[in-house]
Amino acid sequence: MRKFDLNGSSIIITSSKKIDDSEFNRAYQAIVNVGNKLLYLRKSSIILIQDHEENFIVVERMNTDTITLHIHHEIPLDHVYKIG
């Protein structure tokens, strides 16, 4: 779990047990880079964030009074396909 402040709002980041430390740190950095856009997420929203290595991170804003983001898993770029 990690906590940081963004424009006066506290953001709490948690992760599933499937996420190791390096994945958590990459996801944390990607979340920080998204910045203010996180403040407008509705509760129970699921988002994909593309990190600097171009992997995708599945993040959920939990249905709580705080801004709690839960990292579900990381999808390596070689497992992402564009259809259409």
Side-chain angles (χ1 to χ4, degrees), residues 46-79:
I46 302 286
I47 60 169
L48 290 174
I49 299 175
Q50 190 172 6
D51 71 7
H52 66 281
E53 295 178 18
E54 300 196 5
N55 294 327
F56 287 86
I57 300 150
V58 179
V59 178
E60 175 186 10
R61 173 159 180 205
M62 306 300 283
N63 190 16
T64 62
D65 292 335
T66 61
I67 300 176
T68 302
L69 304 175
H70 184 76
I71 304 165
H72 284 278
H73 58 273
E74 181 180 55
I75 305 169
L77 184 61
D78 61 347
H79 290 100

